[in-house]
Structure formats: structure tokens, C-alpha cells
Amino acid sequence: MEIPNHSHDQQHFLLCPFMAQGHMIPMADMARLFARRGVYVSFVTTPLNASRVRPAIDRASRCSNLPIRLVELRFPYEEAGLPEGSENVDVLPPSIDLFKRFFEGTKLLKQPLELFLSADRDFPPPTCVVSDLLLPWTLDVARGLGIPRLVFHGTCSYSLIVMESVRRYGLWDAADRPEKETMVTIPDMPCQFEMKKGLLPIPLSCAGLADFEGGAVKAEVDSDGVVINSFDELEAKFTEAYEKLMGNKAYNIGPLSLCEGGVQAERGNKSSIDPDKCLSWLDSHKPGSVVYVSFGTLARLGLRQVMEIGEAMKGSGRPVVWVLKQGKEGSEEIESWVSRFGEGLDWMVIVGWAPQVAILSHKAVGGFVTHCGWNSTLEGLCAGVPMVTWPHFWEQFVNERLVVEVLKVGVRVGIEVQMGWTEEVVVGREEIGVALERVMGEGEEGEEMRRRVRKVGEMAKKAMEVGGSSFVNMTMLIEDVKGYVVKEIVVENA
């Protein structure tokens, strides 16, 4: 990669994503946006994760001659007591113990990064660290360099307020599981917000990671700002409320999935299907006729639930693109059943990774059955596609509230229980079919949802254009970094 001559006043941002697809993909988009603005970017990750984002990073650095590079650090899976190759949450076997070890393992990346930076002569000295919340040790790296640290969150301000309130006020307690039907009020929301206790985001402390969670939150408070994958027109009042809650400036610079300006065929992993083949199949269908079904990277469905979805889709009589994830015990049996069941139906089943942004952006897609992860939710909004919401865990139930009750662009499938790695609550074909018909049907409700979500998509695109709110916020962020006086960390007495 040829790098243009640089001076010592050149901006150089270290981007440090947490090793999970929902966190890495938007940060890779962010890297390209910063580089396009003349900022040198080092994207710090591990070999497995580097292989997943390399095509997009290489395309940006070589074809567009952008000052962006991958910095690969060996992930210490042996030292952390993890199986070989455990470099991303999505390859971990379903185990809370391994999950905890993975978090501990990420801390061991601090020294290798510091050693790399001490010997680095290819890029100018770093001027800012943009780090995932879940890598709190990057605050020490930033302070050692005398530069600001900005925190990146993988979700929206609306959910961030709820998550912080749950932690701050102890609204979730594992001992209170019998009280999961109790309605809880979130006091820091700028609007009335109540939710069943059992659907609130479960803090990391409930997985035995209380010290880690506390350290991550303290590192955010001690940092110099927050970067959010959202846009002002969508949730300015919620971002302002989060700023007030945390005492830090927040920058909405998204939707990051629109970083290319047009449609990206592939983001994250290499697609398990030729994107051109997929888009050609969609070209043969009428506008708004196809249902897209995908539950993200981590959610896994059992055969019984897959069968109910299949029957609901068949009963709808609509063409379907259905993404099935690998990795759950019994996945071969599931794939076999779907293959047999789908014979003769107007379906495309993708086992593995799909070119989701390209699919959602296609005019043939008229509805999105989604787990409500923030990346998927935002991609659906940008594409102007109404949603059948089917959250599984973490903050996904809160994202569902934003989609269904605030934006009014989706319909709940009706799930009322959080599902862990090994738990499953089966939703019947009738409930799925009713929700799907409300979203895809030609009645007034469906038409109104489509009108609203198209308007949101238009606002999202304008936000990323030159002069748009997110473009302006990124400009402000870059200028603010130049003038930052980093916070003095207050060390509490032991």
C-alpha cells in the first residue's frame, strides 16, 4: 500500500473494535469514512477478524488510495484458556465460561498493541483512539500516548439509555427472575418508558462479569466522547439524554452501512452465495413482494422453530429469502428439512452469510423478519423496509420498542421471553403469519408503515450526504480531536 507523505500534524486514529461481527462491521465502515476525510486509520484486530474485513479495507486503501491499514495482533486464546481459533464471539461454543474467558483474553492485547505502536514508522503518531466500550484497556493506551479516547457503541442512544439505567439503578437482578413480569420505569428516558423486567437488557454482571462491566463504564466516563452509529433526525433527543446521563459529548455519525454511498454487496464475512446470483433472483420478482428472514450472527434456531417459520412462510404464499446460520447442534438436520420443505416453492435459502444490505436495498423486498440487532434494524430502516420484529436477547427488545412504538414501522411477532444460547421459545406459525400479513398486506396499516419507513430511509441517506447531519458531526468530531485536552483521570482511593 502506498501511503502519501505525512507531517506530524496529520491526524491518525486507532480504531479498536470488539471481536464480534455486530461491533466489527460498523467500525470497518467507520474506518473508511474517516480515511475519506483525510484521516490516517489503523484498524486494530486479530488475524481471523482481519481476514473478514480485509476485502473492504484493501479495496479502500488500494483502489481509492486511502490512508487505511489493518494492524493484526495475535489473539491469546491459549493464555485465556480458549479453544484454538477463538478470535470472535461467533465461533465460541455456547458457554458462559468461555464467554468470560474471551473477555479476559481481550485484555491481553494491550501490551502487543503498545509494542507495535512503539516501533511503528509507517504512519504518523496516533492522535486519537476510537475504541469499543468492551475494550476498556484502550483508555490506558490512549493516556499513555497523551491522546483522547472516544468510545464506540454498537447500538443506538435509545437503547443505551435503558442499558445504563438498568446498570445504574440495579433494575435487573438475577435473583428477581420470578418478578420478570413486573413493569419497570426507566427514569432517564426523555419520554415515558416502561418495560417488563424480564425483557430489559441483562447486564454483564449477571454473567459473572461485574468487575469487567464496571471497568468498561468507568472507562467510558473517563473518556473524551462517544461515537454512535445513528443520525440526529432519528433520535437527537435520545442522544442528548445519553450525553446528559454519561457527562460526555456524543457524535451521531451514521448510518455507517451507507459509507459507500451506494449498495455494498458484501460486509463482514464473505457471502455464502454469489451476490449477483442473489440479486438476479430478486430481479425476477415484483416490487415489495419478497420476505427477507434473518436473525443475525449469534441467534440459533432449533428444528421445531424452523418448521414453524417454514409453514408460516409457505402459508403466506410469498417468495422468501431465508438466511440460516450454521453452528447449532442439529444444523445439518435443519438444513436438510428446509431443503426438502422448500422444493417447488419460490424460495432462496442461504446457509451462512448473506449480502444483507444489498438484499434489503432491492426493490423486490417488502418485509424483513429480524432479530432487532441494531445493525440489522438500521439497515432495514435505511432500505425503507418495514419489519416483523423477533428479538432474542440483550438490547434487542428495546430496539424493538423503537421500531414498533416510536417509529411505528414494524409489528411484533409476540415473543415475550429472552432466549439464551441454549434456551428456545417457539413462536407458532399462526402468530408469525398474522404479523407478516400486517407488514406485507395491502391494507391501510401496511401502507402507512411503508410510507413511514421510506421517509426514515430518505432521512438516513441525507444525513450521510455532504452537509448532512452525520457528515457535519464527523467534521466536528475530527476538529474537536485536534483541540482536545484529554480528561484527567481521578484515581479513587483503595
Side-chain angles (χ1 to χ4, degrees), residues 157-275:
S157 298
Y158 186 82
S159 290
L160 287 173
I161 296 170
V162 177
M163 294 165 72
E164 174 57 17
S165 294
V166 169
R167 187 202 67 82
R168 184 172 296 196
Y169 305 118
L171 300 179
W172 176 277
D173 186 332
D176 288 343
R177 291 297 290 271
E179 305 297 326
K180 61 187 178 183
E181 297 297 314
T182 303
M183 297 301 292
V184 175
T185 299
I186 302 299
D188 297 304
M189 269 289 190
C191 61
Q192 182 66 25
F193 186 102
E194 288 187 336
M195 191 173 220
K196 288 182 180 179
K197 178 178 286 191
L199 298 183
L200 291 170
I202 302 175
L204 289 173
S205 57
C206 290
L209 289 162
D211 290 343
F212 182 91
E213 181 181 60
V217 174
K218 185 179 186 304
E220 176 178 350
V221 172
D222 290 338
S223 293
D224 306 286
V226 179
V227 183
I228 300 175
N229 183 16
S230 189
F231 56 105
D232 289 349
E233 291 81 357
L234 183 68
E235 52 167 4
K237 68 178 180 180
F238 300 113
T239 301
E240 291 171 6
Y242 189 67
E243 286 180 323
K244 182 178 179 181
L245 185 62
M246 302 301 293
N248 251 334
K249 171 66 178 173
Y251 303 87
N252 284 325
I253 63 168
L256 294 169
S257 61
L258 299 179
C259 72
E260 296 283 3
V263 175
Q264 300 179 63
E266 294 185 327
R267 297 169 70 230
N269 285 348
K270 181 177 177 60
S271 292
S272 303
I273 187 172
D274 182 348

Side-chain angles (χ1 to χ4, degrees), residues 342-378:
E343 287 182 5
L345 297 176
D346 193 7
W347 285 14
M348 172 173 283
V349 177
I350 302 171
V351 179
W353 195 263
Q356 179 161 290
V357 171
I359 291 171
L360 286 170
S361 301
H362 197 284
K363 64 182 181 181
V365 175
F368 181 17
V369 182
T370 175
H371 66 303
C372 296
W374 183 239
N375 286 326
S376 291
T377 300
L378 197 54

Side-chain angles (χ1 to χ4, degrees), residues 129-435:
V129 174
V130 182
S131 168
D132 197 285
L133 170 79
L134 298 178
L135 301 177
W137 53 267
T138 56
L139 179 62
D140 293 335
V141 173
R143 292 301 182 256
L145 296 168
I147 61 177
R149 177 203 191 230
L150 303 179
V151 177
F152 173 71
H153 285 286
T155 191
C156 57
S157 298
Y158 186 82
S159 290
L160 287 173
I161 296 170
V162 177
M163 294 165 72
E164 174 57 17
S165 294
V166 169
R167 187 202 67 82
R168 184 172 296 196
Y169 305 118
L171 300 179
W172 176 277
D173 186 332
D176 288 343
R177 291 297 290 271
E179 305 297 326
K180 61 187 178 183
E181 297 297 314
T182 303
M183 297 301 292
V184 175
T185 299
I186 302 299
D188 297 304
M189 269 289 190
C191 61
Q192 182 66 25
F193 186 102
E194 288 187 336
M195 191 173 220
K196 288 182 180 179
K197 178 178 286 191
L199 298 183
L200 291 170
I202 302 175
L204 289 173
S205 57
C206 290
L209 289 162
D211 290 343
F212 182 91
E213 181 181 60
V217 174
K218 185 179 186 304
E220 176 178 350
V221 172
D222 290 338
S223 293
D224 306 286
V226 179
V227 183
I228 300 175
N229 183 16
S230 189
F231 56 105
D232 289 349
E233 291 81 357
L234 183 68
E235 52 167 4
K237 68 178 180 180
F238 300 113
T239 301
E240 291 171 6
Y242 189 67
E243 286 180 323
K244 182 178 179 181
L245 185 62
M246 302 301 293
N248 251 334
K249 171 66 178 173
Y251 303 87
N252 284 325
I253 63 168
L256 294 169
S257 61
L258 299 179
C259 72
E260 296 283 3
V263 175
Q264 300 179 63
E266 294 185 327
R267 297 169 70 230
N269 285 348
K270 181 177 177 60
S271 292
S272 303
I273 187 172
D274 182 348
D276 290 337
K277 178 182 178 181
C278 182
L279 296 179
S280 177
W281 185 88
L282 289 169
D283 286 341
S284 67
H285 291 83
K286 295 178 181 179
S289 65
V290 176
V291 182
Y292 177 59
V293 184
S294 177
F295 296 107
T297 307
L298 298 179
R300 299 290 185 269
L301 304 178
L303 177 59
R304 185 179 165 203
Q305 182 63 85
V306 167
M307 292 171 70
E308 291 298 313
I309 294 172
E311 293 288 356
M313 296 299 137
K314 181 179 179 180
S316 76
R318 302 180 189 279
V320 177
V321 176
W322 189 356
V323 182
L324 290 173
K325 295 298 181 185
Q326 298 167 314
K328 186 179 175 73
E329 185 177 346
S331 59
E332 291 184 3
E333 183 183 14
I334 290 170
E335 291 171 30
S336 176
W337 182 87
V338 171
S339 177
R340 295 193 309 272
F341 183 79
E343 287 182 5
L345 297 176
D346 193 7
W347 285 14
M348 172 173 283
V349 177
I350 302 171
V351 179
W353 195 263
Q356 179 161 290
V357 171
I359 291 171
L360 286 170
S361 301
H362 197 284
K363 64 182 181 181
V365 175
F368 181 17
V369 182
T370 175
H371 66 303
C372 296
W374 183 239
N375 286 326
S376 291
T377 300
L378 197 54
E379 289 161 10
L381 293 174
C382 291
V385 177
M387 293 168 242
V388 172
T389 60
W390 192 328
H392 285 69
F393 35 61
W394 293 322
E395 93 288 5
Q396 294 166 10
F397 287 87
V398 185
N399 294 340
E400 176 185 58
R401 288 282 293 270
L402 178 66
V403 170
V404 175
E405 297 186 13
V406 178
L407 302 176
K408 302 183 188 305
V409 297
V411 174
R412 291 186 178 92
V413 78
I415 191 76
E416 291 288 333
V417 180
Q418 294 216 39
M419 292 182 285
W421 272 313
T422 58
E423 299 173 79
E424 184 171 44
V425 179
V426 175
V427 180
R429 65 193 71 177
E430 295 82 7
E431 292 91 337
I432 300 168
V434 168

Side-chain angles (χ1 to χ4, degrees), residues 52-167:
R52 295 178 173 187
V53 300
R54 179 171 284 108
I57 297 296
D58 284 353
R59 187 167 60 248
S61 62
R62 293 173 183 169
C63 300
S64 303
N65 197 32
L66 297 180
I68 179 174
R69 66 177 176 180
L70 286 168
V71 174
E72 296 183 38
L73 306 176
R74 185 188 75 85
F75 189 81
Y77 59 87
E78 291 178 318
E79 296 89 326
L82 292 165
E84 183 176 356
S86 300
E87 299 181 30
N88 192 295
V89 170
D90 69 1
V91 300
L92 288 179
S95 163
I96 291 295
D97 179 60
L98 293 179
F99 192 58
K100 290 163 64 175
R101 293 184 189 185
F102 186 85
F103 273 90
E104 291 300 316
T106 63
K107 299 177 183 178
L108 302 178
L109 294 171
K110 176 175 179 286
Q111 185 177 27
L113 178 58
E114 290 174 331
L115 289 173
F116 171 83
L117 293 173
S118 67
D120 182 30
R121 297 293 181 269
D122 293 332
F123 271 24
T127 57
C128 181
V129 174
V130 182
S131 168
D132 197 285
L133 170 79
L134 298 178
L135 301 177
W137 53 267
T138 56
L139 179 62
D140 293 335
V141 173
R143 292 301 182 256
L145 296 168
I147 61 177
R149 177 203 191 230
L150 303 179
V151 177
F152 173 71
H153 285 286
T155 191
C156 57
S157 298
Y158 186 82
S159 290
L160 287 173
I161 296 170
V162 177
M163 294 165 72
E164 174 57 17
S165 294
V166 169
R167 187 202 67 82

